[in-house]
Amino acid sequence: MCGSSFQTSQVDCENLQESATVNVSVASFLSIDCDFISNRNRYLLLNSQELNELAAISLKANIPEVEAVVNTDRTLICDGKKGLLTRLLQVMKKEPAESSFRFWQARAVESFLRGVTSYADQMFLLKRGLLEHILFCIIDSECKSRDVLQSYFDLLGELMKFNIDAFKRFNKYVNTEEKFQIFLNQINSSLVDSNMLVRCIVLSLDRFESQTDAVKVAEVISQCCLLSYISRVENRLSFLFRLINIIQVQTLTQ
């Protein structure tokens, strides 16, 4: 049943750009279905070539291949030139910045990443320009939709968590003080929406500091304005103080 569902969705995804109804319904389906069938089956969203790419990423990084990738039934995966996940990313990039469909699309991609952090999964999406696209929407389009921004903050957190390559890519895109200030303003404008991203950044910094020698930590932090900013105790305390004061039971949505 799962296999036939994904195959059907792949066909629909060919024409996502032409139908807003299909667009949001497929994204909603993916978001729900990825949660329902659990992480072990999320790789049905890829085709054979993309599964091989994940294996190659793990090999190059000298880390074990994700067991769920190895155990994926290849008779059920997407059989087109591009898997459903890749097609969804293409559609997402074409949506207007304020489109409400972006919320569902981002949630669907986040569902793929959710769970135990996988370096290979993150790199698969990073190679397809997802981080740069998210940053463009947050910084350059100055998106004002709270729902869309929250979904992008959450997705960015999952994409960057514990991944030093992602932080380096962040620094390449956010290459001016003006861009960085816009990014911080977007985070600070609603910490309730961005708190997951803030926590991911803090946890990532802690991981880097605990797993890397002092010289390399200093080098890593110097290569990323975001890590450098969070590494200052006064900035972390400022986030903590504001989060404690703004979060109330009445305002929580999930």
Side-chain angles (χ1 to χ4, degrees):
M1 182 176 179
C2 286
S4 61
S5 295
F6 282 115
Q7 296 289 352
T8 302
S9 298
Q10 181 192 359
V11 174
D12 288 343
C13 202
E14 294 280 1
N15 298 311
L16 279 178
Q17 297 95 324
E18 301 174 13
S19 172
T21 302
V22 174
N23 189 327
V24 70
S25 63
V26 170
S28 302
F29 159 76
L30 283 175
S31 183
I32 295 169
D33 226 28
C34 281
D35 288 337
F36 177 73
I37 66 177
S38 80
N39 289 328
R40 65 189 176 85
N41 284 324
R42 61 185 168 180
Y43 298 107
L44 296 176
L45 296 170
L46 310 182
N47 65 16
S48 182
Q49 183 179 350
E50 291 166 341
L51 286 176
N52 292 339
E53 182 181 341
L54 285 178
I57 292 171
S58 297
L59 181 63
K60 183 177 180 180
N62 196 28
I63 57 177
E65 190 174 353
V66 177
E67 186 178 354
V69 174
V70 177
N71 295 333
T72 295
D73 186 346
R74 294 200 174 212
T75 65
L76 300 177
I77 62 177
C78 299
D79 58 4
K81 292 182 179 179
K82 296 176 182 176
L84 183 55
L85 180 64
T86 299
R87 293 181 185 279
L88 182 61
L89 292 177
Q90 291 177 328
V91 172
M92 185 165 69
K93 290 178 181 180
K94 294 179 180 179
E95 282 295 318
E98 296 289 333
S99 170
S100 59
F101 295 143
R102 283 187 175 276
F103 172 84
W104 295 106
Q105 293 160 347
R107 285 290 183 231
V109 179
E110 186 203 343
S111 293
F112 177 81
L113 288 171
R114 199 177 300 151
V116 178
T117 302
S118 166
Y119 175 82
D121 291 354
Q122 291 173 323
M123 293 307 299
F124 178 85
L125 294 172
L126 287 170
K127 284 184 174 184
R128 283 154 178 79
L130 179 58
L131 183 139
E132 289 81 4
H133 173 68
I134 295 172
L135 291 176
F136 171 82
C137 293
I138 293 175
I139 298 172
D140 297 299
S141 72
E142 296 191 57
C143 177
K144 298 295 189 296
S145 168
R146 298 316 320 171
D147 288 339
V148 172
L149 278 174
Q150 181 183 1
S151 65
Y152 273 10
F153 286 139
D154 290 350
L155 176 54
L156 192 61
E158 291 291 345
L159 188 62
M160 296 181 68
K161 186 166 57 177
F162 309 141
N163 191 318
I164 191 60
D165 294 308
F167 281 92
K168 290 178 180 178
R169 281 175 176 256
F170 176 96
N171 211 56
K172 271 189 175 181
Y173 189 91
V174 186
N175 54 6
T176 66
E177 182 63 23
E178 181 184 8
K179 280 188 173 183
F180 188 55
Q181 287 306 317
I182 293 174
F183 180 77
L184 288 180
N185 288 340
Q186 290 281 43
I187 287 180
N188 288 322
S189 65
S190 182
L191 277 177
V192 172
D193 296 330
S194 62
N195 80 89
M196 179 180 164
L197 172 61
V198 172
R199 285 183 284 132
C200 283
I201 299 168
V202 172
L203 289 172
S204 296
L205 177 63
D206 182 70
R207 170 76 67 87
F208 299 150
E209 289 178 333
S210 65
Q211 293 188 346
T212 316
D213 64 63
V215 175
K216 287 186 177 179
V217 168
E219 181 183 348
V220 166
I221 292 176
S222 69
Q223 291 176 342
C224 181
C225 57
L226 185 57
L227 287 176
S228 178
Y229 182 85
I230 292 295
S231 69
R232 298 174 200 139
V233 176
E234 62 271 23
N235 291 332
R236 294 202 299 274
L237 289 176
S238 174
F239 277 125
L240 178 61
F241 177 80
R242 282 179 289 152
L243 281 170
I244 290 174
N245 281 278
I246 64 175
I247 296 179
Q248 300 175 0
V249 174
Q250 303 93 296
T251 60
L252 292 178
T253 58
Q254 57 182 353

